[in-house]
Amino acid sequence: MTPRTAAVNAPAPAPAPARKRDADAMAVTAFVLGLVGLLVMNIVLGPVAVVLGSLALWRRTSRPGRARLGIALGVADLVVLATLVSADHTWSWSLT
């Protein structure tokens, strides 16, 4: 076996603990921002929740359910925003 084929057949290194911790933090942050975004600033918090949840999944978080929930809540934020815009023809909440 040549050194080149040995490098190809070698198992992928495990993610560093700090990187894993960062991915877990991203998953939790995506969930929290998606949840808060349902009430306020959904135009900003929704896309941020989607991006953070996707990055957490890409970095192989140990909390994939929370990352997926953050993505779903981020998409729900954008759906709420679209509903409000189509109903009120405004980008803000209106109580009147």
Side-chain angles (χ1 to χ4, degrees):
M1 189 180 289
T2 65
R4 184 175 183 189
T5 57
V8 171
N9 294 332
R19 186 172 176 158
K20 190 81 147 169
R21 216 173 32 245
D22 289 346
D24 292 347
M26 281 187 219
V28 172
T29 304
F31 170 72
V32 170
L33 291 179
L35 196 60
V36 171
L38 288 172
L39 301 174
V40 293
M41 294 181 54
N42 46 6
I43 193 168
V44 175
L45 297 180
V48 171
V50 170
V51 169
L52 283 176
S54 300
L55 278 174
L57 287 175
W58 185 69
R59 291 185 178 188
R60 300 190 187 271
T61 180
S62 62
R63 300 171 182 249
R66 190 134 325 146
R68 287 186 191 105
L69 190 56
I71 293 170
L73 286 169
V75 170
D77 292 347
L78 297 175
V79 169
V80 167
L81 176 67
T83 303
L84 289 173
V85 168
S86 65
D88 290 344
H89 303 293
T90 183
W91 288 92
S92 63
W93 289 87
S94 176
L95 296 175
T96 59

